Amino acid sequence: MSQQGEKPAADEDDWWRKLYDDTARDTGPSSAADSLDDRFDSASDALGPGDTGGADHPVTVVPLPDPRLPEAAPLPQRRSPRHAAPTRPERAPGPPPPASAPETPASAPGSPTAAAPPAPPPGAPPVPPVPLRPPTAERAPWETPAGQRGPRTFAAPPPPPAPPAVPDAPEPPARPVVGHVGDRPPTYDAEPAALPPSGPDDLDGTVPDTVLDGARYGTFTLRAASVRGDSARFRGEPRRDALLTARFGAGDAALVLVAVAGGARGADGAHLAAADACRWIGGAVARSHARLSDDIRAGRRGDLKSGLHRLTDRTYGKLRSRAAELGLDPSAYTAGLGCLLLSADPDCRTRVFFGTGRGGLFRLRDGAWQDLDPVLPAMPHTDSALPASGDAAEEEGPAGDRLTMDLQITTPPPPYEEGPPPQPAEPFHFRASVARPGDTLLLCGGGMAEPMRGEPALAAELARRWASEVPPGLPAYLADIQLRTKGYADDRTCAAVWEA
């Protein structure tokens, strides 16, 4: 019965009696030898082949080659120190196995690196093969978990894309070249050499070497320029010519004024007089531009001539007053003046020219130049300051003496007159013409009008260059009017109007 009062089974009582039997011999240390060699011999006998008469069987240990290391010499056989038996001859080592397929104990027969294990004796239990663990090596970060089985080649990065082909730089356009007409170029250089002298009190009167302007209104294209002459460039004198381009009003009623003035040669303030003439005639036209624009569009030529004559007289009256303020003779402070009035109305092709003094007006039509303002013949000196008009010329004798009526009595000069009589006043020029498509109207100062009349090669060259219907650009136009001609070194100022 157990401690809890239960009655044990019969088999349990038998087990307890055997365990605590006092007659059973006590277990203790065995008298048989129990060393490491004894246990090795016992294991060898159990695993060896059949009965060999009690002789020990040699045990062959097959090393596993490491694919990362060169092949090592075979390990020596381990035998029992108690028994001496002839060892089995070893085969010569063969070439190392490939790194990708290491040899295992279950290799095919005839492997050069390992000998086949001895066959188990009949009736002995089969020996399970010992699993071999493949050699492990530290894996590189870029290798796959399966390990590297050979030299690894990485693809080279793609080459950078080739830069786009750069087209060849175009040749720079040819610059306008200032040429010359005639057999040889003029004596002076074509480019400016010296600047005019200046002082602290006359900086307002300085003028640039070149002035260039242009515009397009209605059916016409305007190009205008004023260039210092070769002689003035060489001597460091100021440009005596003046140029004014201005627009008054807006829309179709707008009026464009182009004024060209040239100072007297040899006068110290010639460039100032020319600038004053352009400024004052411009102010007069600006104050009357509405009436002038209506007269031009309506074709009232009589009203235009009388009105513009008055404006011109007022301008020259101011020049004389300015000469008196400066203490100069009126002839020393004056300028030739030529003007063009152009309507911005596309339906109006009337072009009005007016002025006085040196200069000219030319028209290129059908490839030929026409002089619209020819030079008047020199007028004889008389005892009157006014030019001869009407029948006054018929009253002169063969020798040029002025006769009184028909009395045939010569009148002596008055005793109070000294020196030659004064020069007659410059005549007033006026012309209103209707332009045709393809015409080119050229307004010139004296320095450009003289070679146009005296050098046929210059007029022919300009006609050839301006024969196209497309007007030249500003740089080309500037080069055209600077065509140099030997013997003509004055300032060149002109305005050209191309009709579409």
Side-chain angles (χ1 to χ4, degrees), residues 383-400:
D383 57 353
S384 174
L386 298 177
S389 61
D391 297 333
E394 300 177 359
E395 297 180 2
E396 296 180 354

Side-chain angles (χ1 to χ4, degrees), residues 220-226 243 258-260 338-342 351-354 358-365 368-374 431 433 435 438-453 455 458-463 466 472 477-478 480-483 492-499:
F220 70 87
T221 300
L222 173 65
R223 299 286 183 265
S226 180
L243 172 67
V258 182
V260 174
C339 301
L340 272 179
L341 290 178
L342 310 171
R351 313 305 181 210
V352 177
F353 162 77
F354 68 96
R358 298 171 61 237
L361 180 67
F362 302 89
R363 181 173 59 196
L364 180 62
R365 175 175 289 178
W369 287 104
Q370 301 173 1
D371 192 349
L372 304 183
D373 186 36
R431 185 180 183 89
S433 60
D439 286 355
T440 300
L441 197 62
L442 183 64
L443 172 66
C444 303
M448 187 68 179
E450 292 178 1
M452 284 290 294
R453 295 187 177 106
E455 185 59 50
L458 175 62
E461 179 62 18
L462 289 180
W466 295 351
Y477 175 76
L478 181 61
D480 292 344
I481 69 167
Q482 290 187 90
L483 278 172
R492 290 198 176 182
T493 303
C494 56
V497 180
W498 276 265
E499 298 291 342

Side-chain angles (χ1 to χ4, degrees), residues 222-487:
L222 173 65
R223 299 286 183 265
S226 180
V227 182
R228 188 164 54 140
D230 293 344
S231 177
R233 285 177 169 180
F234 178 77
R235 293 183 171 86
E237 298 175 354
R239 175 169 51 89
R240 296 192 308 269
D241 285 0
L243 172 67
L244 173 66
T245 54
R247 174 181 62 88
F248 309 111
D252 294 345
L255 188 64
V256 177
L257 168 67
V258 182
V260 174
R265 294 180 180 177
D268 293 339
H271 62 289
L272 299 178
D276 287 343
C278 287
R279 183 168 60 255
W280 288 331
I281 192 64
V285 171
R287 287 185 289 271
S288 305
H289 76 274
R291 175 66 181 274
L292 292 173
S293 179
D294 291 342
D295 290 345
I296 292 174
R297 298 165 69 184
R300 293 188 283 265
R301 300 190 180 187
D303 295 344
L304 286 171
K305 182 177 181 179
S306 59
L308 294 175
H309 197 175
R310 288 193 301 270
L311 298 181
T312 304
D313 287 344
R314 292 173 186 174
T315 299
Y316 277 93
K318 292 183 177 181
L319 285 175
R320 289 190 292 268
S321 300
R322 180 60 177 166
E325 294 175 2
L326 298 175
L328 301 175
D329 188 80
S331 60
Y333 198 84
T334 188
L337 181 63
C339 301
L340 272 179
L341 290 178
L342 310 171
S343 175
D345 189 353
D347 298 330
C348 179
R349 289 183 178 268
T350 302
R351 313 305 181 210
V352 177
F353 162 77
F354 68 96
T356 183
R358 298 171 61 237
L361 180 67
F362 302 89
R363 181 173 59 196
L364 180 62
R365 175 175 289 178
D366 299 330
W369 287 104
Q370 301 173 1
D371 192 349
L372 304 183
D373 186 36
V375 178
L376 299 177
M379 300 181 64
H381 294 176
T382 63
D383 57 353
S384 174
L386 298 177
S389 61
D391 297 333
E394 300 177 359
E395 297 180 2
E396 296 180 354
D401 297 334
R402 179 72 182 275
L403 303 179
T404 60
M405 301 299 289
D406 55 354
L407 298 179
Q408 303 296 327
I409 300 174
T410 303
T411 303
Y416 53 84
E417 288 187 359
E418 297 180 1
Q423 294 286 343
E426 292 285 349
F428 175 74
H429 304 271
F430 176 87
R431 185 180 183 89
S433 60
V434 178
R436 299 179 184 176
D439 286 355
T440 300
L441 197 62
L442 183 64
L443 172 66
C444 303
M448 187 68 179
E450 292 178 1
M452 284 290 294
R453 295 187 177 106
E455 185 59 50
L458 175 62
E461 179 62 18
L462 289 180
R464 183 188 68 82
R465 296 189 180 192
W466 295 351
S468 174
E469 296 181 358
V470 180
L474 292 180
Y477 175 76
L478 181 61
D480 292 344
I481 69 167
Q482 290 187 90
L483 278 172
R484 307 171 68 219
T485 305
K486 191 172 182 61

Side-chain angles (χ1 to χ4, degrees), residues 59-111:
V59 178
T60 303
V61 179
V62 180
L64 297 178
D66 191 348
R68 297 175 299 174
L69 301 175
E71 183 178 3
L75 298 176
Q77 297 180 354
R78 181 168 181 174
R79 297 183 304 166
S80 172
R82 296 182 182 180
H83 305 278
T87 59
R88 189 173 298 174
E90 298 290 339
R91 293 185 181 182
S100 60
E103 291 293 337
T104 63
S107 302
S111 175

